[in-house]
Amino acid sequence: FQPKIRVIHEGVETDAIHPADDTTITLDGDIALRPGDEVVTFVNRNLEPYRGCHSFIRAIPEIQRRRPQAHIVIVGGDGVSYGSQPPAGTTWKAQFLKEVADQTDLSRIHFVGTIPYNAFIGLLQVSACHVYLTYPFVLSWSMLEAMSAGCLVVGSRTQPVEEVITHGENGLLVDFFSPGEIA
């Protein structure tokens, strides 16, 4: 029966999640971002190493050096979904941001916490580049939704991502642990 078995992903609602030229999102009360702006997004339910927040945050200084107009929008809570807890009294976000704070323009880094789904889709619609990092684990819908919204996806060279992205064809694959490659 194996030749007759297929694994079919449940799909993405492409009628609702698509590129949109008329989308605008506002951050911090006064920063309006639109399609065509230099927006880099990173999304996790919770910002933790298992989902690559450490590698991404460490890539921010180089991203900002190369793209001095880019706004980096990071979605996710401060909890832990999969890995170990951060040291007592801190969060993984705070831990890794502290490493790079003196090398970054914090006014162009926007931690928006968790956001409603419609706001998330609007964010993807203005994103020029979506960074998706994961250990070999279940592929998140967010990566497929980013692709459907028209984002360039920079993804980790790990099994679930390689099932969907072919490097140089429909995205870019990088080493999960290399902030330089991610940038």
Side-chain angles (χ1 to χ4, degrees):
F1 289 100
Q2 284 183 332
K4 296 180 179 184
I5 297 173
R6 294 182 201 240
V7 176
I8 301 173
H9 188 276
E10 64 270 20
V12 172
E13 190 63 48
T14 56
D15 289 340
I17 307 170
H18 52 79
D21 293 333
D22 59 348
T23 301
T24 301
I25 63 164
T26 304
L27 299 174
D28 303 330
D30 64 343
I31 300 170
L33 300 173
R34 296 170 183 80
D37 290 344
E38 292 188 15
V39 178
V40 178
T41 52
F42 181 81
V43 175
N44 289 162
R45 179 183 314 143
N46 285 299
L47 302 174
E48 58 185 315
Y50 208 82
R51 298 302 256 181
C53 80
H54 60 311
S55 295
F56 180 70
I57 290 173
R58 289 171 179 158
I60 291 174
E62 183 63 15
I63 293 169
Q64 287 188 332
R65 188 187 71 72
R66 292 179 184 209
R67 307 304 305 185
Q69 302 306 310
H71 282 269
I72 297 169
V73 184
I74 301 172
V75 176
D78 287 329
V80 174
S81 298
Y82 306 106
S84 61
Q85 294 290 326
T90 189
T91 64
W92 287 121
K93 173 182 81 175
Q95 193 84 357
F96 298 121
L97 190 58
K98 188 170 139 182
E99 289 180 23
V100 300
D102 63 342
Q103 305 163 51
T104 60
D105 177 353
L106 295 173
S107 71
R108 294 187 294 117
I109 303 171
H110 312 278
F111 288 94
V112 297
T114 56
I115 58 177
Y117 186 71
N118 286 342
F120 166 69
I121 297 306
L123 175 61
L124 291 178
Q125 289 172 324
V126 301
S127 179
C129 177
H130 181 73
V131 178
Y132 180 81
L133 305 172
T134 187
Y135 284 108
F137 194 65
V138 176
L139 188 70
S140 296
W141 282 10
S142 66
M143 189 189 92
L144 300 173
E145 291 165 331
M147 293 173 78
S148 186
C151 299
L152 165 65
V153 173
V154 174
S156 55
R157 195 177 301 111
T158 51
Q159 287 179 341
V161 181
E162 291 175 312
E163 291 176 14
V164 177
I165 293 184
T166 301
H167 181 73
E169 289 185 27
N170 63 340
L172 301 173
L173 296 174
V174 297
D175 184 302
F176 178 89
F177 296 103
S178 175
E181 280 191 37
I182 294 165

